[in-house]
Amino acid sequence: MWRDLAGIGRDASTGGYRRHAWTGADEDCRQWFRAQALSRGLDYETDRNGNQWAWLGDRTAPDAVVTGSHLDSVPDGGAFDGPLGVVSSFAALDELHRRSATPRRPLAVVNFGDEEGARFGLACTGSRLSAGQLTVDRAHRLRDADGTTMARAMERAGHDPDAIGPDPERLNRVGAFVELHIEQGRALADTAHAVGVASAIWPHGRWRFDFHGEANHAGTTRLADRRDPMLAYAQTVLAAREQAAAAGALATFGKVAVDPGGVNAIASRVRGWLDSRAPDEATLAAVVEGVERAAAARAEADGVKVDVTRESFTPVVEFTHTLRDRITGHLAQRLASRPGSPSGPVPVLPTGAGHDAGILSALVPTAMLFVRNPTGVSHSPAETAAEDDCLAGVTALADVLEDLACS
């Protein structure tokens, strides 16, 4: 499975992946998912929001146990973020079959669409629509860098954009969702454990800063006469780093657009996107407010205008404690019964990254497993995990699914 996916959407010049929503690479990944489902005799379907499902058992029955993740990527992303969870889910079903474990509850593997938000600027679009956290009107208005709306892109890919929207009937049939993911950090790297359990997701969001200045000639306009929005933007980037460092939080300007974009022209507008995350919502609010104050002060000094728009926000997610504790305890018991397994409690750790599991947590009992990442690098071609650790993740996921669905 891993080899079959390896070449899809990979850029030869960077080694990274460009599997953006509703593109050819995305369609190839979707066809791969469908083939994996049908080859196992699973009941395959695509829901109203473009999320793919592969069912073992009666998909209309209640209290289903669902696992999976996503197959899309950030620009030049790594091979593991998302796909490891989907591949491991199919492999875990294979392991349950090998064990002759008989599910008493429906089991499903899901591939959520557009989790990274790389094309249209909003993460977890597929799960947000299903959970009712993204309105149909806003979804239809999302555009990519070329001006193509998400609705048009879905239509070109053969999906009906008028059918999208909340899917409570489906989610009400899900009794538990467990997402396996590569760890995006190094908390497990210095431990004997290849797999950990998530405790919570930090609150996080995206804010767009629009700096409006005056276009002019770079070679004839005196420095004193300029209204250059790039200066205010640059100072805001530095302020974001300072605010985050002082608060023990994270703040990143990773995307910028400049108009008109000429080498010999002073910009008329600079648009930058801030991604910020923190251990709690009060800290996050304080960091963003500090960045906004710094942007406003510098903009006033440079004679430019700044507008700030919050594009997305996800509050802190505490994964369902009863499900988390059940999974942690069960994994510890299974490890104790296997010779050579690491001793001590299974690590329970928070994460600063957003996931579909976090979106669904408001409606469905959710949990996450993390597979050790030796470098901590993610959203990069350098993202990696050892094969033995990935196989340990499959075993752990199979253990969890057996306990939840087959007991």
Side-chain angles (χ1 to χ4, degrees):
M1 286 187 287
W2 199 250
R3 285 193 299 270
D4 289 344
L5 269 177
I8 299 177
R10 191 170 193 178
D11 184 83
S13 63
T14 66
Y17 288 88
R18 299 178 182 179
R19 298 166 172 163
H20 301 161
W22 307 111
T23 63
D26 183 53
E27 177 59 25
D28 288 344
C29 287
R30 294 170 67 84
Q31 289 299 325
W32 173 90
F33 183 96
R34 182 176 183 272
Q36 294 299 322
L38 297 181
S39 70
R40 290 169 172 79
L42 303 175
D43 189 3
Y44 170 80
E45 64 173 335
T46 302
D47 69 22
R48 63 189 303 181
N49 297 309
N51 306 310
Q52 295 178 288
W53 300 77
W55 290 91
L56 176 62
D58 184 1
R59 69 185 188 188
T60 66
D63 210 25
V65 177
V66 179
T67 185
S69 192
H70 63 96
L71 293 172
D72 67 312
S73 75
V74 298
D76 285 328
F80 293 80
D81 181 352
L84 180 63
V86 179
V87 170
S88 296
S89 296
F90 282 120
L93 292 190
D94 294 342
E95 172 63 13
L96 292 182
H97 179 73
R98 188 191 67 79
R99 296 178 185 179
S100 298
T102 302
R104 299 175 182 270
R105 300 164 64 180
L107 267 171
V109 177
V110 63
N111 167 37
F112 283 109
D114 199 7
E115 192 271 355
E116 295 291 5
R119 183 176 180 185
F120 301 104
L122 180 65
C124 300
T125 301
S127 57
R128 284 184 192 274
L129 279 167
S130 294
Q133 296 184 19
L134 172 62
T135 65
V136 174
D137 179 65
R138 186 184 178 197
H140 282 173
R141 288 188 283 108
L142 292 174
R143 295 178 180 270
D144 65 12
D146 296 325
T148 302
T149 64
M150 191 179 79
R152 180 59 176 149
M154 294 177 74
E155 190 174 45
R156 288 174 178 173
H159 193 82
D160 182 5
D162 292 329
I164 65 175
D167 202 354
E169 191 273 335
R170 179 184 300 274
L171 294 185
N172 286 340
R173 298 199 309 267
V174 178
F177 175 64
V178 181
E179 181 174 3
L180 179 143
H181 204 280
I182 188 170
E183 184 194 2
Q184 294 169 294
R186 296 192 70 257
L188 294 173
D190 298 322
T191 75
H193 289 269
V195 180
V197 178
S199 60
I201 297 176
W202 280 13
H204 55 279
R206 297 181 182 184
W207 290 261
R208 189 183 76 237
F209 285 67
D210 289 292
F211 298 90
H212 304 274
E214 182 179 65
N216 217 324
H217 196 295
T220 62
T221 310
R222 297 187 311 164
L223 295 181
D225 295 336
R226 299 185 178 197
R227 294 171 54 216
D228 187 351
M230 186 63 77
L231 298 177
Y233 169 70
Q235 187 62 41
T236 303
V237 173
L238 297 176
R241 176 59 180 260
E242 293 171 358
Q243 291 289 328
L250 300 170
T252 308
F253 276 96
K255 180 180 178 181
V256 60
V258 181
D259 294 326
V263 175
N264 60 348
I266 300 166
S268 60
R269 184 183 70 178
V270 176
R271 172 174 285 178
W273 282 264
L274 170 68
D275 177 300
S276 190
R277 306 161 192 249
D280 57 77
E281 293 175 28
T283 301
L284 178 60
V287 169
V288 175
E289 287 169 6
V291 178
E292 290 181 359
R293 285 195 302 272
R298 182 65 197 222
E300 183 178 8
D302 292 330
V304 305
K305 179 185 177 184
V306 60
D307 297 315
V308 182
T309 304
R310 189 178 80 175
E311 293 193 335
S312 67
F313 175 75
T314 301
V316 63
V317 174
E318 284 280 348
F319 287 112
T320 310
H321 288 199
T322 53
L323 181 59
R324 181 193 68 195
D325 295 345
R326 175 175 176 173
I327 288 173
T328 304
H330 183 72
L331 290 181
Q333 290 178 356
R334 297 303 293 262
L335 286 173
S337 69
R338 293 179 178 133
S341 296
S343 58
V346 175
V348 178
L349 53 145
T351 178
H355 300 280
D356 292 308
I359 300 299
L360 297 186
S361 65
L363 301 172
V364 174
T366 56
M368 290 192 71
L369 302 180
F370 291 129
V371 173
R372 182 165 50 194
N373 180 340
T375 65
V377 174
S378 187
H379 284 189
S380 158
E383 178 182 86
T384 190
E387 183 175 338
D388 286 348
D389 287 354
C390 293
L391 293 175
V394 170
T395 299
L397 182 57
D399 290 342
V400 170
L401 297 181
E402 185 175 17
D403 177 51
L404 295 177
C406 305
S407 316

